[in-house]
Structures are given as C-alpha cells and as structure tokens.
Amino acid sequence: MILKWMGVCLLLCLAVAYSVAVWRRLHDLSLCQQGWIALLEYVRSKICCFGTPLQDILASADETLLAGAGISKQGSEDFAMLCHLGSEQLGGEGGALLRALGDEIGTIWRTEQVERLDYYIEALREQQTGLSSVLRDRVRLHATLSVCGALAVILLIW
C-alpha cells in the first residue's frame, strides 16, 4: 500500500515539475525575445544617430543589454554571427527573422540598414505580443494535461 502512495506522489510531482519546466522555457523565450528587441533598438539608434560601425556598436554595448539577448561580451565581435546564434535560441518565426537580419545587416547602405532594423524590430514586437498572449494559455494547457494524465494513471493503478 505504501508503494502505491509513493507512486502517486511521484506521478504528481513529475506532472508539476513538467508544468514548471514548460513555464520556465516559455518565459525564458519571452525574455530572450525582449532582450533582442532592446539590442536591435540600441543598434538602430547608434547607426541612425552616429553612423557607428557594427563592430564598434557591439564593443561599446552594455553587458546587461547583451546578456538580455543571451550574448556574452567576449563573443560579440560579429553582429551577423550573433544574429545567427540568436536565431537558434529563439527558433520559429523569431529565429527566421534574426537569421534574415544577420544575412542583410552590414551589406547595405546606412539608411537601408535603419529601415531594415525598423522592420525587424516591429516584426519581433508583433511576435512578442503574440507570444505573450498565448503564453498563459499554453502553460495552462500543459499543466492541465500533465496533471490530468497523472491522475488518469493513478486511477488505473488503483
């Protein structure tokens, strides 16, 4: 009998742990997206106002700004490479946007770079608002399904 209770507790703990892991993953994705939006706004302002080269922008960027996007200060020499690494972090549509930005940035004129950065910032913001509206529903769905699945297994055990 004690083994059944231990199994019940274990199943419920696993369901709760899975729900917390899903929430944490989606929350980290949302924070990473916000960090990339802030970094792109910073890069845009430096290009637009001062015409600063990309390498100098990244060298003078604040560590907290880079950390918000999941970038370390040591590995921030090439902006295109950072965009490709960020595309792997974000995945999905946000990753595709960053990958496309990495391919374009630094190869076009300054005014075109500012226009393209405006486009990518706005696209990432739209995706961020979509993700934040869906975040609560996805977490609730995963939590409900995992706990209900655990309870169904518990009923089958008894």
Side-chain angles (χ1 to χ4, degrees), residues 1-10 158:
M1 187 69 166
I2 190 104
L3 289 176
K4 282 186 180 182
W5 285 108
M6 287 175 49
V8 165
C9 291
L10 180 66
W158 289 95

Side-chain angles (χ1 to χ4, degrees), residues 92-153:
E93 185 180 331
L97 288 169
L98 278 181
R99 194 175 311 109
L101 174 64
D103 292 339
E104 291 179 3
I105 198 78
T107 61
I108 51 180
W109 296 98
R110 188 179 90 170
T111 56
E112 292 172 347
Q113 282 183 3
V114 172
E115 291 172 2
R116 298 307 296 165
L117 282 169
D118 286 337
Y119 167 76
Y120 286 115
I121 289 169
E122 188 60 36
L124 282 173
R125 278 193 184 139
E126 288 175 7
Q127 188 187 16
Q128 174 66 27
T129 57
L131 179 68
S132 63
S133 66
V134 173
L135 179 72
R136 176 182 242 168
D137 294 334
R138 282 188 185 175
V139 169
R140 191 175 293 155
L141 175 72
H142 282 279
T144 303
L145 288 177
S146 64
V147 170
C148 287
L151 290 174
V153 171

Side-chain angles (χ1 to χ4, degrees), residues 75-105:
S76 60
E77 292 85 24
D78 185 21
F79 190 72
M81 180 192 67
L82 292 179
C83 286
H84 288 286
L85 291 175
S87 70
E88 293 172 6
Q89 288 176 338
L90 292 182
E93 185 180 331
L97 288 169
L98 278 181
R99 194 175 311 109
L101 174 64
D103 292 339
E104 291 179 3
I105 198 78

